Amino acid sequence: MNAPAPGVEQAPTNWTAIALFAAFVLLTLLITIWASRRTRSASEFYTAGGGIGGAQNGIAIAGDFMSAASFLGISALVYSSGFDGLLYSIGFLVGWPILMFLIAERLRNLGRFTLSDVVSYRLAETPMRCLAAISSLVVIAFYLIAQMVGAGQLIQLLFGLPYIYAVIIVGGLMILYVTLGGMLATTWVQIIKALLLLAGASWMAFLVLAQFGFSLPALFARAVQVHPKHLGILAPAALARDPVSAISLGIALMFGTAGLPHILMRFFTVRDATAARKSVLWATSLIGYFYILTFIIGFGAVVLVSTDPAYVTAAGKLRGGNNMAAVFLAQALGGNLLLGFISAVAFATILAVVSGLTLAGAAAVSHDLYARVIARGRATEAGEVRVSKWATVALGGVAILLGVLFEKQNVAYMVGLAFAVAASANFPLVLLSMYWRGLTTRGALLGGWVGLITAVTLTVLSPGIWVKVLGFPHAIFPYDSPALFSMPLAFLCCWLGSTIGRTRETPAEASAFDEQLVRSHTGIGATGARSH
């Protein structure tokens, strides 16, 4: 049996949680079998044939985005710091209007399966697809590490299962979902998970507010009384003391959302640009509602959990760490039944997110690198889907391995790094390729590679890795998030590379912008949909 990860206690086996999770797995496996019978072509595998409805896709996007880290992490941040938790969640939320007004419609009309289809539409295909695919895989790898380690530690704590078993279960199930059912199965897994998570969080928030006569001021007043910081929890603290880090983190969260490959890929699953906009509207509404719930849950934990000796140590620390605030609150409000439900939903949440990540990674390998770069467009659909399924198996194996290797590391910075890389490498390419006629292949390559390398390098040199992981006494780069520096640098390099000197391809790339502009607005020439 594996030793628990640092700071994680292995709980007694929670049979209620295991039974509820088993029911979720059984339901989703039945959906996967159904989806496998409807998944034959590459379009059906990658994008469910473009036949997902706008509302369905919006709920699935919310399910893809609302991770266990969001639910447990932001509740924990509110529990420990109060107002800072709200500022953090707003950063995640503000990225969605950018997607809705700048990206969604044009992305759906220009692309087919991946964001590489968009950035290589009028630029040199091979180098652009290589850059976009590598950047996407870097983002996915960092995101996967955080999800897999989170799964292992969470299940070790909630279910009483050994760490390695939890990692293997998540890896095995995500391989099953993606290889058998493709995007259709992944979509329904995410929809079911989103509805369960929203239902559980809504019920918890309802029970918290019921204890205070449904009065938020009464809840806040009681929280101020019992929290060690008192009125300090109603004002920005850590983020206000270091505004550069706060702004840099905000930029990463706001613009990184518009560069996450597994989120952008979902816009190709709907039939047209109208449905893509509707998807973002649904997703934004549900995610915004969810973050309001986490704020109430966090303050509810301050009042009901921090004052209960069953959940805190003699030193006043929460047993199992602050990430357990929402879970303990579920037990305090609804006993073992609600605890089991929330535990099962947290595990299902991780499963849904890693399935979306794995499918996006498999698409980058099979569609961008294999079919378009290595086979130069001569690959058969059956061959491309076969490569994608093998890539899924490989990514699942890599995810399990990384989860085991990083077991004893603090991987909180991994999600931040994923957003920073997405904001610094993917977002500038997607935005400029759609909106700027003057962007050239040379400028896009220069900006994309500089953004990617700068974001990764500065993160390694930051306190989160250089000091806390590598053990050096002082960080070379003083801020945790590099986006404030790496994203503007990427845009600058895109402009410099495109404007200084002209190549033979420059006039053709500029003239192709008109055709791209017409298609991005009208959808003429975009792939059609298949009904489900």
Side-chain angles (χ1 to χ4, degrees):
M1 184 177 287
N2 255 35
V8 177
E9 304 168 7
Q10 187 153 315
T13 303
N14 186 332
W15 291 109
T16 306
I18 290 175
L20 289 168
F21 179 70
F24 170 83
V25 170
L26 180 62
L27 174 63
T28 51
L29 284 177
L30 290 173
I31 290 171
T32 301
I33 293 168
W34 165 78
S36 67
R37 295 172 182 161
R38 306 172 68 90
T39 302
R40 294 286 181 268
S41 67
S43 173
E44 289 163 351
F45 185 80
Y46 293 131
T47 63
I52 304 295
Q56 285 176 299
N57 194 47
I59 299 170
I61 290 172
D64 211 354
F65 193 76
M66 295 184 304
S67 65
S70 294
F71 177 52
L72 301 178
I74 292 180
S75 300
L77 192 55
V78 173
Y79 172 82
S80 61
S81 305
F83 192 76
D84 276 355
L86 180 63
L87 292 179
Y88 204 98
S89 62
I90 285 174
F92 283 114
L93 184 61
V94 170
W96 289 95
I98 295 170
L99 262 175
M100 183 170 182
F101 294 112
L102 294 181
I103 305 291
E105 179 179 348
R106 296 191 182 205
L107 187 82
R108 171 61 188 88
N109 286 337
L110 290 174
R112 190 179 176 210
F113 298 147
T114 66
L115 68 90
S116 301
D117 294 333
V118 177
V119 299
S120 66
Y121 187 89
R122 63 184 177 88
L123 305 178
E125 182 174 40
T126 298
M128 289 307 302
R129 282 193 184 275
C130 287
L131 167 60
I134 290 170
S135 175
S136 296
L137 287 170
V138 170
V139 172
I140 288 165
F142 289 131
Y143 227 118
L144 267 178
I145 290 171
Q147 295 299 323
M148 296 301 285
V149 175
Q153 295 182 353
L154 187 67
I155 303 318
Q156 188 174 336
L157 191 62
L158 301 183
F159 290 72
L161 290 176
Y163 176 89
I164 193 167
Y165 290 0
V167 171
I168 292 172
I169 289 170
V170 172
L173 286 172
M174 81 181 185
I175 291 171
L176 268 180
Y177 291 148
V178 176
T179 54
L180 293 180
M183 178 58 86
L184 186 57
T186 300
T187 296
W188 280 105
V189 169
Q190 290 166 342
I191 288 173
I192 293 169
K193 164 255 163 151
L195 295 176
L196 288 174
L197 181 60
L198 287 168
S202 297
W203 183 238
M204 287 177 65
F206 176 85
L207 292 177
V208 168
L209 290 174
Q211 300 206 17
F212 295 91
F214 297 96
S215 168
L216 278 175
L219 171 63
F220 293 155
R222 179 62 181 151
V224 167
Q225 285 179 0
V226 301
H227 198 281
K229 295 181 181 178
H230 300 296
L231 273 174
I233 62 169
L234 298 182
L239 294 178
R241 286 196 299 271
D242 187 1
V244 174
S245 288
I247 293 169
S248 192
L249 175 65
I251 287 174
L253 298 179
M254 286 167 55
F255 298 106
T257 303
L260 293 175
H262 61 296
I263 297 295
L264 296 183
M265 188 177 181
R266 292 222 54 93
F267 292 109
F268 305 125
T269 65
V270 293
R271 52 181 55 88
D272 54 31
T274 302
R277 287 195 301 272
K278 187 184 292 184
S279 299
V280 186
L281 185 62
W282 272 90
T284 306
S285 303
L286 292 175
I287 291 166
Y289 171 66
F290 171 72
Y291 283 133
I292 292 171
L293 296 179
T294 59
F295 198 57
I296 296 171
I297 289 168
F299 273 94
V302 170
V303 175
L304 300 174
V305 173
S306 70
T307 56
D308 190 332
Y311 304 121
V312 294
T313 65
K317 302 292 185 184
L318 203 60
R319 297 183 190 277
N322 285 344
N323 282 339
M324 294 302 295
V327 177
F328 287 152
L329 179 65
Q331 188 173 33
L333 292 169
N336 282 335
L337 184 61
L338 187 56
L339 171 67
F341 178 78
I342 294 299
S343 301
V345 167
F347 201 0
T349 294
I350 292 171
L351 204 50
V353 173
V354 296
S355 296
L357 287 166
T358 304
L359 184 56
V365 172
S366 58
H367 177 63
D368 295 327
L369 297 179
Y370 168 71
R372 307 302 303 179
V373 175
I374 297 172
R376 298 190 177 277
R378 295 189 294 270
T380 63
E381 272 207 358
E384 187 176 334
V385 172
R386 188 166 56 250
V387 170
S388 188
K389 290 184 177 182
W390 280 111
T392 300
V393 174
L395 281 168
V398 169
I400 292 171
L401 180 63
L402 290 173
V404 173
L405 289 176
F406 279 80
E407 176 188 357
K408 300 189 189 307
Q409 298 293 338
N410 176 3
V411 293
Y413 59 85
M414 287 294 181
V415 172
L417 176 55
F419 273 85
V421 171
S424 304
N426 291 347
F427 174 66
L429 294 182
V430 170
L431 188 72
L432 292 178
S433 65
M434 290 178 179
Y435 284 92
W436 185 33
R437 180 192 300 272
L439 182 70
T440 65
T441 298
R442 184 168 64 181
L445 289 173
L446 179 63
W449 283 115
V450 167
L452 174 61
I453 293 168
T454 303
V456 174
T457 303
L458 291 182
T459 303
V460 171
L461 300 177
S462 71
I465 296 183
W466 198 252
V467 176
K468 295 177 184 175
V469 175
L470 299 180
F472 290 99
H474 303 290
I476 296 174
F477 178 69
Y479 307 109
D480 282 321
S481 177
L484 179 61
F485 308 93
S486 54
M487 192 181 86
L489 185 61
F491 275 105
L492 176 64
C493 289
C494 285
W495 176 76
L496 284 174
S498 299
T499 55
I500 297 177
R502 293 168 63 85
T503 63
R504 286 180 302 173
E505 293 80 16
T506 301
E509 290 171 353
S511 63
F513 182 81
D514 292 324
E515 177 201 339
Q516 175 185 299
L517 188 64
V518 170
R519 175 166 164 173
S520 70
H521 281 298
T522 64
I524 295 173
T527 52
R530 178 186 181 280
S531 63
H532 288 294

